Amino acid sequence: MKKILTGLISLFIFSSLCAKEIPLVSNIYARTYMSLNGKWNYVIDPLENGYYDYRLKPFKENGFFENKKAASPSDLVEYNLDTSPIMNIPGDWNMRDPNLFVYEGTVWFKKDFLYTKKSGNRDILYFGAVNYDAKVYVNGKLVGAHIGGYTPFNFDVTDVVKDGKNFVVVKVDNKRAKDNVPTVNMDWWNYGGITRDVMIAQVPDTYIEDYSIQLKKDEQGLISGWVKLNTASAGQNISIQVPELKLRLQLTTDTEGKVTFETKVKPVFWSPENPKLYDVIISKNDEKINDQIGFRIIETKGKEILLNGKKVFLRGISIHEEAPYERGRAWSKEDAVTLLTWAKEMGCNYVRLAHYPHNEIMVREAEKLGLMVWSEIPVYWTISWDNPDTYRNAQNQLYDMIYRDKNRCAVVIWSIANETPHSDARDRFLRDLSQYARQQDNTRLISMAMEVTKAPDNLNKLDDNMNEYVDVISFNQYIGWYRASNEAARLMKWEIPYNKPVIISEFGGSALQGLHGDKTERWTEEYQEELYIRNLEMLDKIDGLSGLSPWILVDFRSPRRQLPDVQDFFNRKGLVSSWGIKKKAFFVMQNYYNKKKTEYK
Ligand code: GCU
């Protein structure tokens, strides 16, 4: 009964919304928008007393979201968002206020903005990501909420935003919880806040909501796709142009407000060696959207991965969304280019963006630089496999990840999990996720980072029921760091009884940059270097090895790494230090990839 009541209350709260969450407006950067990045006021609210009254009932009014002012000297108002401290957004709060370095809880953010409405247009408030639980208010009114720290969301605020002065308030709560995705334990910093771009976009009343344009699966000479309006408006004229391919389609929407098409063209395929992107213009009478789209084919054949019909080796590296030079959560083009340039210097043609969807700019920059991408949802370690709400949350994040990046040819693998403990409930959860991913997008490969089943006599077996639901068998192994020694690597035998390509999604070990000593001395650069040499010798012999993404490009913050003077809350497995200095093992990988490049000419 209580559950039904709570459900009805939240239904009432949201039904009284004067705005609503709407499907993501695709390719927001190509729309007409005003950025809301910049200076926001913020209030730290550990007991959420800006949201709940002293009986823990959510305020309908008088919450911090109203930014109420004392009307007379006798009025009691115990907060003031206008005179509260300022934080530059986007950006995690942990690195912008020493009081918030390890803080997990609620922080309120407020931004005043002047706005000019345009009749016949809708106003869309868009967030690239907010970690983790966001409630958004415009001019004191709730416009919507979002759960999930790494995917975009937007609200139609046309009926709430005014001409002239407005203010937006966001309640952000980054508390971990067992039933969340990720759950309570993870090996990365729980950066909280408005961590990616914020903007308000203006689109026509009837606008191009979403589109998909790519090579038709299994028919290389055809480009196929669709364009969808926000309303079921028939008879709208849609134009799709790819000038360089002399392609110009004039189409008319059906009763669902949609057009589908396929057309014979012969584009130059995108590849790491030639990351060819085409200007694509999608327009209707009152709207024009530009995108840069590449065309390529990714598939597997037995134990091989084929890119554009040719066997390819994924020369990769794992990357966390951690800004270079210890600046917290990465979000900008500058962060993306710095990180991806280090990957290119290593000789990479592929990056594993772990363990959650990275920002859209990172994926677009990878595409321009000729780096294939593994994109992943944070179904990480000990998720609540039996909780249907947890599954729905994971599926929502998978949907959002695919929705946002379906036109990004660089994305070749969707990953649904990392190092998850085997159980019937986990198998059901991941089976459903993998089938859902395939149903959302049957043009890319599905994988997940599995774990090795230890066996006696140096035998390492892959024995995971999920093998039938993935296209690529990927797994993490840490011989030389968490198991066995560097010397033992050469004795290891591998048993991977599946006729599918193999990617080692993680291997590696830690080193404090600048700490030198004997190669048997843990934490020295020489130990890490030796670990990489021995692991590469061992892994290179694996039948069907089609890629590597060693753990990890750069040292990153983690609350699980407390060793004083060595870790200091940093995971030191980076091949580059947190200050951008390459360790000796970086050059072992660079050398290995240079050789691989010649093998796969
Ligand atoms: C695990 C996990 C990573 C973690 C790494 C480590 O494999 O996938 O998220 O950071 O090992 O222990 O360093």
Side-chain angles (χ1 to χ4, degrees):
M1 184 57 190
K2 190 166 170 295
K3 239 176 137 90
I4 297 168
L5 204 59
T6 334
L8 286 173
I9 292 169
S10 48
L11 198 67
F12 168 75
I13 293 173
F14 287 127
S15 64
S16 59
L17 284 181
C18 4
K20 60 186 185 309
E21 182 163 6
I22 54 171
L24 205 63
V25 173
S26 265
N27 192 4
I28 194 73
Y29 293 101
R31 309 299 178 135
T32 306
Y33 68 83
M34 176 174 87
S35 173
L36 293 178
N37 290 356
K39 300 193 177 317
W40 289 56
N41 296 91
Y42 69 99
V43 173
I44 304 169
D45 185 7
L47 301 182
E48 298 181 281
N49 75 313
Y51 185 73
Y52 296 105
D53 66 20
Y54 78 124
R55 293 293 186 232
L56 268 186
K57 285 206 187 59
F59 286 118
K60 289 193 193 57
E61 49 190 29
N62 297 327
F64 284 7
F65 46 83
E66 285 186 354
N67 193 20
K68 202 170 169 189
K69 295 289 165 293
S72 73
S74 62
D75 261 8
L76 172 63
V77 177
E78 295 182 87
Y79 72 95
N80 184 333
L81 296 179
D82 294 348
T83 58
S84 299
I86 295 278
M87 191 179 291
N88 277 326
I89 296 301
D92 59 272
W93 62 56
N94 313 72
M95 302 312 295
R96 282 160 183 75
D97 180 334
N99 299 319
L100 298 175
F101 181 57
V102 291
Y103 178 75
E104 293 185 310
T106 285
V107 176
W108 294 84
F109 292 89
K110 187 271 294 182
K111 174 90 180 165
D112 296 317
F113 62 97
L114 286 175
Y115 192 65
T116 308
K117 287 179 77 79
K118 221 170 127 196
S119 71
N121 271 16
R122 306 206 69 77
D123 308 300
I124 310 294
L125 180 58
Y126 180 99
F127 291 84
V130 175
N131 188 38
Y132 174 85
D133 176 331
K135 288 180 178 55
V136 180
Y137 306 82
V138 172
N139 299 332
K141 295 190 179 62
L142 179 66
V143 296
H146 183 265
I147 294 281
Y150 305 95
T151 46
F153 55 98
N154 51 211
F155 305 110
D156 183 334
V157 294
T158 309
D159 301 335
V160 190
V161 75
K162 299 177 290 196
D163 241 343
K165 283 186 177 173
N166 296 273
F167 70 99
V168 53
V169 172
V170 186
K171 177 186 180 292
V172 182
D173 180 357
N174 77 329
K175 276 195 299 298
R176 287 163 299 115
K178 176 145 183 26
D179 295 338
N180 284 0
V181 179
T183 182
V184 289
N185 64 335
M186 69 278 247
D187 192 23
W188 69 84
W189 206 261
N190 182 24
Y191 290 115
I194 303 173
T195 50
R196 294 179 189 163
D197 286 333
V198 190
M199 58 270 263
I200 183 161
Q202 257 178 8
V203 291
D205 258 336
T206 294
Y207 59 88
I208 295 167
E209 178 181 88
D210 191 15
Y211 55 89
S212 166
I213 300 179
Q214 54 184 344
L215 283 176
K216 186 173 169 78
K217 186 169 169 63
D218 304 329
E219 294 193 50
Q220 295 179 20
L222 281 179
I223 284 183
S224 72
W226 46 266
V227 177
K228 181 180 176 307
L229 303 180
N230 64 313
T231 61
S233 159
Q236 296 269 344
N237 296 323
I238 302 285
S239 153
I240 298 166
Q241 298 173 66
V242 186
E244 211 180 325
L245 293 175
K246 297 185 178 36
L247 176 64
R248 183 189 183 91
L249 300 174
Q250 301 291 5
L251 306 157
T252 309
T253 54
D254 61 20
T255 52
E256 289 172 5
K258 201 167 170 182
V259 298
T260 54
F261 64 88
E262 62 183 57
T263 180
K264 262 194 182 329
V265 275
K266 281 300 277 173
V268 170
F269 286 165
W270 181 92
S271 71
E273 296 71 28
N274 179 18
K276 174 70 184 162
L277 298 174
Y278 286 90
D279 284 331
V280 177
I281 303 132
I282 303 158
S283 54
K284 64 181 180 53
N285 59 325
D286 52 358
E287 192 178 16
K288 187 168 137 185
I289 300 169
N290 293 299
D291 205 343
Q292 293 69 42
I293 293 185
F295 301 101
R296 55 98 188 97
I297 299 158
I298 191 75
E299 55 196 339
T300 61
K301 196 169 141 220
K303 290 178 179 263
E304 297 182 348
I305 296 176
L306 306 180
L307 176 68
N308 303 326
K310 231 177 109 207
K311 184 179 171 187
V312 67
F313 188 89
L314 303 188
R315 307 188 307 269
I317 188 73
S318 294
I319 300 179
H320 256 307
E321 193 176 50
E322 182 98 1
Y325 317 117
E326 300 197 1
R327 285 184 291 109
R329 188 56 79 217
W331 61 272
S332 67
K333 178 171 179 179
E334 183 204 6
D335 294 339
V337 171
T338 303
L339 293 169
L340 296 172
T341 302
W342 286 337
K344 292 287 283 187
E345 286 171 7
M346 190 186 291
C348 295
N349 64 359
Y350 160 69
V351 287
R352 177 187 179 207
L353 300 186
H355 283 295
Y356 35 75
H358 287 213
N359 64 79
E360 181 173 345
I361 296 165
M362 182 72 165
V363 177
R364 284 180 178 270
E365 290 307 315
E367 195 163 70
K368 289 179 205 165
L369 287 168
L371 289 162
M372 292 177 278
V373 169
W374 158 307
S375 194
E376 181 167 296
I377 52 171
V379 174
Y380 181 96
W381 288 357
T382 52
I383 292 282
S384 299
W385 307 111
D386 281 314
N387 183 325
D389 293 338
T390 304
Y391 178 79
R392 250 189 304 282
N393 182 345
Q395 186 175 285
N396 287 343
Q397 293 190 44
L398 180 57
Y399 175 84
D400 290 343
M401 174 173 75
I402 294 175
Y403 185 109
R404 188 194 75 182
D405 291 343
K406 59 182 167 295
N407 291 312
R408 304 280 68 80
C409 65
V411 179
V412 294
I413 295 175
W414 300 122
S415 168
I416 57 170
N418 181 75
E419 292 193 351
T420 51
H422 297 194
S423 71
D424 291 346
R426 167 263 198 185
D427 287 359
R428 279 193 302 276
F429 191 106
L430 295 185
R431 177 204 61 204
D432 293 352
L433 271 187
S434 68
Q435 290 171 341
Y436 182 79
R438 186 105 44 213
Q439 176 230 327
Q440 291 298 313
D441 176 6
N442 70 353
T443 69
R444 290 178 172 86
L445 307 179
I446 310 280
S447 193
M448 57 181 274
M450 300 172 175
E451 289 186 299
V452 175
T453 309
K454 297 172 196 64
D457 310 328
N458 296 322
L459 177 62
N460 300 274
K461 281 178 66 172
L462 238 293
D463 177 12
D464 193 316
N465 298 337
M466 287 304 299
N467 74 82
E468 58 179 299
Y469 297 106
V470 296
D471 299 303
V472 178
I473 301 288
S474 305
F475 61 90
N476 302 344
Q477 66 83 22
Y478 279 92
I479 283 163
W481 191 258
Y482 292 122
R483 186 158 68 88
S485 65
N486 288 338
E487 295 65 46
R490 64 167 67 95
L491 308 173
M492 292 295 161
K493 299 185 289 287
W494 295 88
E495 193 181 296
I496 305 164
Y498 313 117
N499 183 31
K500 293 183 176 176
V502 174
I503 289 180
I504 315 297
S505 34
E506 285 181 36
F507 73 92
S510 296
L512 179 65
Q513 187 277 324
L515 180 63
H516 295 287
D518 186 86
K519 66 184 179 182
T520 58
E521 193 186 337
R522 213 175 267 261
W523 305 110
T524 62
E525 286 198 41
E526 285 71 21
Y527 185 99
Q528 187 189 44
E529 180 187 42
E530 176 70 5
L531 181 145
Y532 268 77
I533 294 167
R534 296 288 159 251
N535 265 267
L536 289 170
E537 275 171 0
M538 166 184 72
L539 297 171
D540 210 37
K541 296 183 191 120
I542 289 179
D543 177 28
L545 182 69
S546 301
L548 299 169
S549 48
W551 192 259
I552 187 169
L553 180 66
V554 190
D555 291 353
F556 62 95
R557 274 201 180 78
S558 166
R560 302 178 75 245
R561 309 296 170 172
Q562 285 95 341
L563 183 59
D565 304 328
V566 175
Q567 294 179 316
D568 300 322
F569 276 151
F570 271 91
N571 181 315
R572 296 289 183 199
K573 293 192 182 65
L575 295 176
V576 179
S577 77
S578 55
W579 291 105
I581 301 170
K582 296 179 178 75
K583 303 175 192 174
K584 293 175 87 168
F586 179 97
F587 303 100
V588 173
M589 274 322 300
Q590 187 183 60
N591 183 38
Y592 176 81
Y593 282 160
N594 284 339
K595 279 196 213 126
K596 271 298 166 194
K597 247 185 243 175
T598 50
E599 278 173 40
Y600 280 77
K601 268 249 178 278

